[in-house]
Amino acid sequence: MKKINKNKFDSTISKLKNIANHYGSDTLQNQLQDLEDFISNFNINVLVVGPFNAGKSSLLNKFIGVDDLLLEDDDPTTALITELYPTSEESHFVGVRDDNSEVDIDPEAKDTLKGFKKAKFFVNSENLKKYADFTFVDTPGYGSGIEAHNNVLKNYINNGSAYILVMNSEKTLDSQDLRFLREISQYSKYISVIANKADRNANIDMVVEHCRESLEMNGLDVPIFKGSKWAENAADIIPTAISGFNVQTIFDEILKKKIVGNGRKFLGRNIYYGKFLRPQYT
Ligand SMILES: Nc1nc2c(ncn2[C@@H]2O[C@H](COP(=O)(O)OP(=O)(O)OP(=O)(O)O)[C@@H](O)[C@H]2O)c(=O)[nH]1
Ligand SMILES: [Mg+2]
């Protein structure tokens, strides 16, 4: 799996550093430090989203290779944002509070966490290591009528650099799914749909074709793939869904936006308009 080349913007950043030093700008220096921290921590957050009971947690369990990692049930189940990280050590679980403080969680309690903003599961999984440029995130499903689940999702939804929408292919995409897809398409152009539970529907190919048409009619340029947790290749469904997401392109786009943003602030407002230079000459 191709790794992100994070050094691509080094020369731009060192030029900006020279500017910051030249003008003695602490603000620019701090922003460049933030930018360097951002780069070293950068990972592509892939949010696995969709209606409740569609099989999001099940597909992630298959991908990770641990059947009881994330709770699966017919009732609306996932209640907490759960970020999944690789580890070479024994798997361990962390709860993140609203103030961002973190506490270790007893593995026995990982399925019933309460009072946390989100959870981080560190799992010794070959696939998580293989796809380490991505951070996969399990999210509560929408459409369950459970206000708490909707709020958890709403508060986190714009944190994705990419999205996989898992739908239940016993039916086609409905207006709620399309509304949701339109919302996330404002945050990222890297979106895939998995028509899941394909084992349950003999007419799966018709459903997929119908979904393709409604995506197209709604102006959503989103690929759709079949999925089933019972398929022999169940562990490969998530990799297939992200196969069109080029990690380097995603990194470059996000970085360019950030650098141009910073540059505008300084070269635009401060240097171009002279405000930055003025103190030196007055
Ligand atoms: N037949 C079949 N059942 C599935 C499949 N995927 C999931 N299920 C079942 O569907 C139910 C819901 O699965 P979950 O993985 O909990 O679904 P979810 O999307 O995470 O649900 P929420 O967390 O409530 O949003 C469970 O009983 C699963 O065993 C599938 O591909 N085929
Ligand atoms: Mg779930």
Side-chain angles (χ1 to χ4, degrees):
M1 185 64 199
K2 194 174 160 235
K3 278 247 159 258
I4 301 174
N5 169 13
K6 290 188 171 183
N7 302 325
K8 240 182 126 166
F9 293 88
D10 284 1
S11 73
T12 311
I13 291 171
S14 78
K15 276 181 205 150
L16 284 168
K17 273 187 177 164
N18 288 340
I19 294 177
N21 289 338
H22 182 78
Y23 292 111
S25 163
D26 287 345
T27 326
L28 183 52
Q29 265 159 356
N30 289 341
Q31 287 214 351
L32 289 169
Q33 186 56 52
D34 288 349
L35 190 63
E36 285 184 316
D37 293 344
F38 177 83
I39 291 172
S40 64
N41 296 325
F42 181 83
N43 244 32
I44 297 166
N45 248 13
V46 184
L47 271 55
V48 179
V49 295
F52 81 97
N53 198 35
K56 301 177 290 298
S57 304
S58 301
L59 279 180
L60 282 166
N61 283 340
K62 288 289 178 198
F63 169 67
I64 289 166
V66 184
D67 275 346
D68 60 354
L69 180 73
L70 299 158
L71 199 61
E72 306 173 13
D73 203 337
D74 282 334
D75 292 330
T77 303
T78 305
L80 208 57
I81 295 296
T82 308
E83 297 172 347
L84 301 158
Y85 298 95
T87 178
S88 300
E89 297 154 28
E90 211 176 313
S91 299
H92 56 280
F93 310 97
V94 167
V96 182
R97 296 204 192 87
D98 281 338
D99 63 1
N100 289 325
S101 60
E102 301 191 352
V103 280
D104 285 332
I105 301 295
D106 176 356
E108 298 282 314
K110 74 170 169 49
D111 297 332
T112 51
L113 297 179
K114 283 208 170 68
F116 293 105
K117 179 169 76 172
K118 64 181 182 185
K120 293 182 178 179
F121 286 8
F122 295 83
V123 192
N124 197 330
S125 149
E126 287 314 309
N127 261 349
L128 284 182
K129 283 178 210 159
K130 185 170 169 192
Y131 293 93
D133 282 332
F134 296 96
T135 302
F136 297 91
V137 186
D138 194 16
T139 67
Y142 56 75
S144 66
I146 299 180
E147 202 54 29
H149 290 191
N150 291 341
N151 286 336
V152 167
L153 182 63
K154 201 167 86 192
N155 289 334
Y156 193 84
I157 193 63
N158 62 356
N159 282 301
S161 300
Y163 295 83
I164 299 174
L165 185 130
V166 179
M167 60 174 281
N168 180 349
S169 65
E170 289 172 297
K171 58 173 199 60
T172 60
L173 288 167
D174 63 21
S175 58
Q176 191 175 30
D177 299 320
L178 290 165
R179 221 177 23 248
F180 193 82
L181 280 163
R182 272 195 294 272
E183 179 180 348
I184 57 179
S185 67
Q186 294 171 18
Y187 308 132
S188 170
K189 59 183 178 193
Y190 300 96
I191 303 174
S192 287
V193 172
I194 296 175
N196 202 33
K197 301 197 179 181
D199 57 287
R200 287 247 189 110
N201 190 342
N203 296 319
I204 177 73
D205 290 329
M206 265 168 60
V207 170
V208 167
E209 207 37 55
H210 188 275
C211 292
R212 243 185 220 124
E213 281 166 21
S214 49
L215 288 165
E216 204 180 310
M217 265 163 34
N218 281 274
L220 293 158
D221 183 15
V222 172
I224 178 163
F225 305 92
K226 283 186 272 187
S228 165
K229 81 174 210 180
W230 300 119
E232 219 171 287
N233 70 342
D236 301 328
I237 296 167
I238 287 191
T240 304
I242 60 167
S243 57
F245 302 167
N246 183 311
V247 293
Q248 192 65 49
T249 312
I250 298 177
F251 174 78
D252 292 356
E253 283 172 1
I254 292 174
L255 256 285
K256 270 182 207 154
K257 225 183 255 170
K258 266 200 166 294
I259 290 175
V260 169
N262 277 356
R264 244 192 222 125
K265 239 179 243 155
F266 284 91
L267 302 172
R269 194 183 307 148
N270 298 324
I271 295 178
Y272 183 74
Y273 291 113
K275 285 182 191 154
F276 190 70
L277 292 172
R278 205 172 294 142
Q280 307 216 338
Y281 295 95
T282 54

